[in-house]
Amino acid sequence: MKTSSKFLVDLIVWFLLLGNVLSNEYTTFNKLVLPPNVTGPASAALDRGGKGPYVAVADGRILKWQGPTTGFLDFAYTSPNRTKKLCDGTNDLKLGAICGRPVALSFNYKTSDLYITDAFFGLLVVGFNGGLATQVSSGFKYLSGIDVESYTGNVYVVDASLTYNIRDMTQPGFKPDSTGRLLKYDPRTQRVTTLLSGLSGAGGPSVSSDRKYVLVPEYVNNKIQRHWLQGPKKDTNEVFLTDCGNPKNIKRAANDGEFWVAVEKQVQESPTLSEPHGIRVNGSATVVQTVPLPHFFNMAIDVVQESNDALYVGSSDTGFVGVYTN
Ligand SMILES: *[C@@H]1O[C@H](CO)[C@@H](O)[C@H](O)[C@H]1NC(C)=O
Ligand SMILES: *[C@@H]1O[C@H](CO)[C@@H](O)[C@H](O)[C@H]1NC(C)=O
Ligand SMILES: *[C@@H]1O[C@H](CO)[C@@H](O)[C@H](O)[C@H]1NC(C)=O
């Protein structure tokens, strides 16, 4: 081969590789801004038609993104005593028993019902028209995460602790314990069963796309555990991934069998600063992609949700949902 044509081939190969890398880097950033004074979109769920995101915010509402001209509008709320006058725009947890504090969201894609965990009102569900959600289970300390498995309708939730609630967590000197649990709610029997206990700082679980297992993150322990739902290891648990940073929430990725995990990694030189990342892991616990989320530097990120080639990033610290695209 002549030098010049070899050079041309190299150049083409190089461009192809570059194109491949660039198309998967999520380097473009946009904000979906919440209404004035509204903060803490700790979740970002998309419905069956890819509409949304739907976000659970600090003032007790679930808002739905209606596009750039309209922005976010009210979709649902969790407390029967909530008034817009008292609650809209608040982030005062002392009002939580009146206003509600929805935390995590997950759709049943078969029925279009939206399941909600609320720090004060437990597990709730609302239909596709929104409005006041119906409480389906209560008596928890702090339901921090949720995933609905649409095929059976089973709802997997995490109760972060047997001892502390969301208000205790904001007190000075707060130390998380190791009494968190992964629970299953069966909507047919309305029974709650414990699948895994002894969790520390547990966040949002995720069922695999083949429904064989559920992953649960432990923020404090830098660890993800796997609970088997089917197969030879049914009803047993194992460590899935360690040393991945502090994982908050796990969501199924667009690729079958893969997940996006919202993690915070401590900046090496400064233990008080954290660098948030989205990591994509496959069913063998291989990290196949790491995406830095620079616009959330030193903020608490809660969720990385993939939809339509975008990563939606929710954070209890912000007045916006971040969207990373290619
Ligand atoms: C936002 O909060 C400020 C300070 O509490 C208040 O003056 C203002 O009216 C609020 N804006 C809206 C739209 O609620
Ligand atoms: C709503 O307010 C009424 C009247 O104050 C009270 O009896 C009821 O317990 C409240 N409901 C909830 C869910 O807090
Ligand atoms: C996960 O990724 C690794 C590395 O690419 C690969 O060897 C492994 O087969 C993958 N596992 C699954 C379940 O896809």
Side-chain angles (χ1 to χ4, degrees), residues 273-285:
L273 296 178
S274 77
E275 285 174 327
H277 291 83
I279 61 171
R280 187 159 55 92
V281 294
N282 73 12
S284 321

Side-chain angles (χ1 to χ4, degrees), residues 79-81 97-98 121:
S79 169
N81 288 348
I98 299 167
F121 293 93

Side-chain angles (χ1 to χ4, degrees), residues 86-275:
L86 177 69
C87 300
D88 281 11
T90 187
N91 60 4
D92 183 356
L93 283 174
K94 287 198 285 297
L95 292 174
I98 299 167
C99 301
R101 185 11 166 158
V103 177
L105 304 173
S106 184
F107 276 99
N108 179 322
Y109 291 113
K110 251 189 185 170
T111 63
S112 286
D113 286 331
L114 178 63
Y115 281 84
I116 305 157
T117 64
D118 184 287
F120 297 87
F121 293 93
L123 179 62
L124 305 98
V125 65
V126 70
F128 64 88
N129 288 324
L132 175 61
T134 306
Q135 190 181 55
V136 295
S137 191
S138 62
F140 309 102
K141 267 296 187 184
Y142 171 37
L143 287 189
S144 57
I146 189 167
D147 191 29
V148 177
E149 195 270 90
S150 297
Y151 185 80
T152 58
N154 287 334
V155 181
Y156 296 87
V157 293
V158 161
D159 196 3
S161 170
L162 293 171
T163 62
Y164 62 80
N165 61 32
I166 194 170
R167 281 187 67 191
D168 299 328
M169 294 172 71
T170 63
Q171 300 307 307
F174 167 76
K175 287 221 170 52
D177 62 12
S178 298
T179 62
R181 293 168 305 153
L182 173 66
L183 309 168
K184 180 180 90 173
Y185 169 78
D186 181 335
R188 286 162 300 275
T189 61
Q190 299 173 336
R191 276 193 50 199
V192 174
T193 44
T194 301
L195 305 180
L196 187 50
S197 51
L199 304 174
S200 191
S206 186
V207 180
S208 61
S209 52
D210 62 8
R211 307 192 305 273
K212 289 198 170 133
Y213 60 88
V214 51
L215 297 181
V216 59
E218 285 182 90
Y219 184 84
V220 176
N221 288 341
N222 294 14
K223 183 164 88 179
I224 295 172
Q225 293 202 63
R226 162 151 60 186
H227 174 86
W228 288 95
L229 300 169
Q230 291 180 39
K233 296 194 218 166
K234 187 176 189 295
D235 297 330
T236 65
N237 309 305
E238 66 194 14
V239 172
F240 179 76
L241 186 62
T242 54
D243 292 329
C244 52
N246 302 91
K248 263 285 182 65
N249 264 291
I250 308 177
K251 294 285 173 190
R252 274 180 300 285
N255 286 353
D256 264 2
E258 296 186 350
F259 305 87
W260 281 101
V261 189
V263 302
E264 288 164 13
K265 298 184 189 196
Q266 261 172 21
V267 176
Q268 230 126 55
E269 308 79 60
S270 169
T272 57
L273 296 178
S274 77
E275 285 174 327

Side-chain angles (χ1 to χ4, degrees), residues 18-52:
L18 187 72
N20 222 353
V21 168
L22 285 182
S23 69
N24 210 6
E25 289 281 276
Y26 300 105
T27 43
T28 305
F29 180 74
N30 280 293
K31 286 178 181 178
L32 309 183
V33 179
L34 293 166
N37 295 357
V38 178
T39 59
S43 54
L46 287 299
D47 66 21
R48 183 162 59 181
K51 294 278 185 348

